Amino acid sequence: MFNLNQLKKYYTDAPLWMKKLYGAIPFDIRNGSEYRKWKKFLYENISREEYELLKLKETIVYAYENTDYYKELFDNLGISPHDINERKDLEELPTIDKTIVREKYDKLIVKKIPSNKFFYVTTGGTSGAPMKFLQSKNIWTKEVAFVMNYFEKYGFTTSMIKASFRGGNFDNLVNNVFWKLNPHANEIHFSPFHINDKTIKFYVDELNRKKIKYFQTYPSSIRLLIESMKKNNLQLDYQVDTVFLISENISDCDVSLIKSFFNCNISSFFGHSERLIFAPNFSNDLSSYQIDRRYGLFELIDSNQNIITDNNSIGEMVGTSFDNYVMPLIRYRTHDMTSYLDKDNFIINSIEGRWKQEYLSGRNGMKSYLTALNMHSDIFKNVIKYQFIQLQPGYADLCLHVRNEFSDIDKKLIIDALNKKAGHMISFHIKIVDNFIFTHRGKFKNIIKKF
């Protein structure tokens, strides 16, 4: 049996006719019984507080009985997993973060799990250091069910097609075609890398041809699209229904620009690669989100790691996984910051700490945003940290602090991946370094420009 990472690669490498054949299978069928179970569950009227505590106790006991890390942790603290019966009992346990996951990776993995029962995910590494996590197979279908349940509240159904503007592999594009059909997600995946004054007409013509009413996009990508359309006096000849914003901080300027140009709904949700917290925006207000307590357990902690229980106190978002039977994470610090707007209903204010809208300057005024260059793969496995430095548009040095195992093969894989994404606008060069450039306040930035 293949795991999800292998199946994803087979799908990506398959010819278009085969992808279309797969995409022709009804969405609920091709995503399996686990997906249908979750979809049904999300419409059930349950006590979310009771469900949260049930899943918390299940996670705690499972982690203790099946991982070396949590067994050693509980035993060293002199705590039984059965002592954790309420949210406040979690204060007995320390938090963990990416450093702990790196150091204790093998001990955090559940013992004797067949390879076809899990898959790996990687974060893009907003601090310049990508991370790898393992998740049990059921987590993927659970995620799809939660996201589709969210989309449906805006009238989107699985039979509709959406336009996506985000990072991806856009090599081998046909002349004047800057998008690829993705039947699995029932979307047309538009390249954010190729939007400029010369190409924008082709984007608009394709959107008008397909009349796509739902967009899923980085804020930076939709801003590029709108700015290019305005500059070239182009309009859509139909009404967009909803723009779903993902992965980046959302500014008031983004919201104002999208609303004034498309006159449509705008929505967003908080999610992350570790899949511990899911929070759709609250009541169509992009400055607030409501934690879905069925997805994972959410906490907010202050700088002293005390649990925050009042409104308007800034703290770090902490999550405990539900349903991950290969690498359960308990009290994992996300490095995302927020505060409660309404603690009793788990409504939080806007979230800071997502990818900032930094971009590399390409030739002819083109831009390549950092989110679109995000590498969700293991090609950075021997890289400790990285930083882009630009002395002029169209050229970028990628400075790498590497492990001893880093080789010319790693270097080639990274350069090839960057060239596939943005080689048409930027020439990339790799430099191995020991030190990085920081701001005058001592903050690390992924992109440094000296022009």
Side-chain angles (χ1 to χ4, degrees):
M1 292 287 289
F2 300 112
N3 65 32
L4 282 177
N5 299 106
Q6 292 170 314
L7 292 174
K8 181 180 178 181
K9 185 178 187 307
Y10 292 145
Y11 174 82
T12 301
D13 295 341
L16 183 58
W17 69 265
M18 192 175 292
K19 293 178 181 177
K20 287 182 176 180
L21 190 63
Y22 176 74
I25 302 171
F27 193 87
D28 285 15
I29 300 299
R30 69 173 182 260
N31 281 287
S33 59
E34 183 83 15
Y35 169 79
R36 297 191 293 275
K37 180 194 78 172
W38 278 110
K39 281 299 298 293
K40 180 181 178 183
F41 167 76
L42 291 175
Y43 282 104
E44 292 177 359
N45 185 19
I46 64 168
S47 167
R48 300 195 180 194
E49 181 177 4
E50 290 179 6
Y51 180 80
E52 178 186 72
L53 291 178
L54 176 69
K55 296 301 291 187
L56 171 62
K57 289 190 279 188
E58 175 190 292
T59 298
I60 295 291
V61 172
Y62 183 84
Y64 177 80
E65 293 179 347
N66 293 280
T67 71
D68 291 334
Y69 176 81
Y70 285 110
K71 185 175 191 317
E72 291 174 7
L73 176 67
F74 276 79
D75 289 349
N76 289 337
L77 291 172
I79 299 173
S80 165
H82 299 287
D83 293 337
I84 310 298
N85 295 303
E86 300 179 69
R87 292 178 60 91
K88 66 181 182 64
D89 295 336
L90 283 171
E91 293 185 80
E92 301 294 322
L93 304 176
T95 59
I96 63 172
D97 58 12
K98 289 182 178 181
T99 300
I100 296 294
V101 174
R102 285 193 184 96
E103 293 175 352
K104 307 294 183 181
Y105 186 85
D106 291 335
K107 288 190 172 185
L108 282 163
I109 299 172
V110 170
K111 294 167 280 189
K112 298 180 180 179
I113 291 289
S115 63
N116 66 314
K117 297 295 184 184
F118 67 84
F119 64 104
Y120 68 83
V121 295
T122 56
T123 67
T126 56
S127 63
M131 278 292 299
K132 179 178 177 180
F133 299 86
L134 295 184
Q135 293 171 359
S136 50
K137 187 177 177 181
N138 57 292
I139 291 292
W140 173 253
T141 48
K142 170 186 174 182
E143 173 83 359
V144 174
F146 272 79
V147 172
M148 283 308 306
N149 180 263
Y150 157 73
F151 282 162
E152 287 172 356
K153 291 176 175 148
Y154 292 86
F156 181 83
T157 68
T158 55
S159 64
M160 296 177 178
I161 192 165
K162 66 179 182 291
S164 69
F165 294 82
R166 63 185 193 279
N169 184 351
F170 292 99
D171 57 337
N172 301 319
L173 290 174
V174 181
N175 189 36
N176 294 330
V177 175
F178 306 100
W179 51 86
K180 292 185 175 182
L181 179 65
N182 180 13
H184 170 64
N186 204 22
E187 67 181 8
I188 297 179
H189 188 182
F190 290 86
S191 168
F193 305 108
H194 294 83
I195 299 174
N196 57 49
D197 290 345
K198 294 181 179 179
T199 64
I200 187 62
K201 182 180 183 302
F202 300 105
Y203 283 81
V204 175
D205 286 348
E206 180 66 8
L207 289 169
N208 282 332
R209 203 163 24 244
K210 296 292 175 51
K211 302 288 189 290
I212 306 175
K213 295 186 175 183
Y214 292 88
F215 289 15
Q216 185 175 7
T217 174
Y218 298 148
S220 58
S221 297
I222 196 71
R223 189 171 66 248
L224 267 178
L225 182 78
I226 293 173
E227 288 173 349
S228 294
M229 288 177 67
K230 290 174 71 174
K231 184 177 178 182
N232 291 276
N233 297 314
L234 295 172
Q235 293 283 341
L236 298 182
D237 60 14
Y238 67 95
Q239 177 63 50
V240 173
D241 188 290
T242 305
V243 172
F244 298 110
L245 299 176
I246 59 172
S247 297
E248 294 176 338
N249 285 328
I250 303 167
S251 70
D252 291 339
C253 290
D254 293 328
V255 175
S256 177
L257 179 66
I258 297 168
K259 282 189 175 179
S260 64
F261 191 79
F262 287 129
N263 189 29
C264 66
N265 296 315
I266 307 175
S267 185
S268 182
F269 67 88
F270 174 85
H272 56 159
S273 298
E274 296 90 330
R275 295 188 170 99
L276 310 175
I277 301 168
F278 186 82
N281 66 263
F282 178 69
S283 189
N284 295 322
D285 179 4
L286 272 72
S287 66
S288 61
Y289 297 79
Q290 185 163 31
I291 302 298
D292 194 322
R293 299 173 72 181
R294 300 167 297 182
Y295 189 88
L297 188 137
F298 171 86
E299 298 175 274
L300 198 62
I301 62 170
D302 63 21
S303 57
N304 295 316
Q305 298 199 32
N306 297 313
I307 295 177
I308 294 173
T309 58
D310 58 335
N311 293 335
N312 301 314
S313 295
I314 298 291
E316 182 176 359
M317 298 171 68
V318 174
T320 294
S321 62
F322 293 166
D323 310 299
N324 187 352
Y325 302 117
V326 65
M327 193 183 217
L329 299 175
I330 299 170
R331 305 202 78 201
Y332 176 85
R333 295 170 58 183
T334 66
H335 297 299
D336 292 299
M337 309 297 290
T338 189
S339 59
Y340 283 115
L341 177 67
D342 180 350
K343 168 63 176 66
D344 293 338
N345 291 300
F346 284 82
I347 299 170
I348 58 176
N349 288 300
S350 57
I351 300 160
E352 294 295 331
R354 292 183 177 192
W355 285 66
K356 301 297 182 183
Q357 294 180 20
E358 298 177 87
Y359 65 86
L360 295 173
S361 296
R363 290 181 280 273
N364 301 319
M366 300 173 74
K367 299 176 182 178
S368 182
Y369 282 86
L370 194 58
T371 39
L373 286 173
N374 187 10
M375 303 293 181
H376 285 282
S377 72
D378 62 355
I379 62 173
F380 279 82
K381 64 183 178 182
N382 292 321
V383 174
I384 299 171
K385 202 168 188 177
Y386 64 78
Q387 184 177 61
F388 289 98
I389 297 179
Q390 282 200 288
L391 301 180
Q392 65 184 79
Y395 295 86
D397 288 327
L398 174 57
C399 299
L400 303 177
H401 180 37
V402 301
R403 307 182 195 281
N404 292 333
E405 296 83 1
F406 187 86
S407 68
D408 288 341
I409 295 175
D410 295 297
K411 181 177 179 179
K412 184 178 186 305
L413 287 172
I414 293 170
I415 283 290
D416 287 348
L418 289 171
N419 284 337
K420 282 183 179 180
K421 287 175 176 284
H424 63 288
M425 69 171 91
I426 298 170
S427 296
F428 293 96
H429 306 275
I430 286 181
K431 290 185 176 180
I432 308 302
V433 302
D434 293 320
N435 300 299
F436 293 93
I437 298 173
F438 292 84
T439 68
H440 68 283
R441 292 185 178 180
K443 293 184 178 180
F444 177 83
K445 293 184 67 176
N446 291 97
I447 296 176
I448 300 293
K449 294 182 182 178
K450 297 185 176 182
F451 57 88

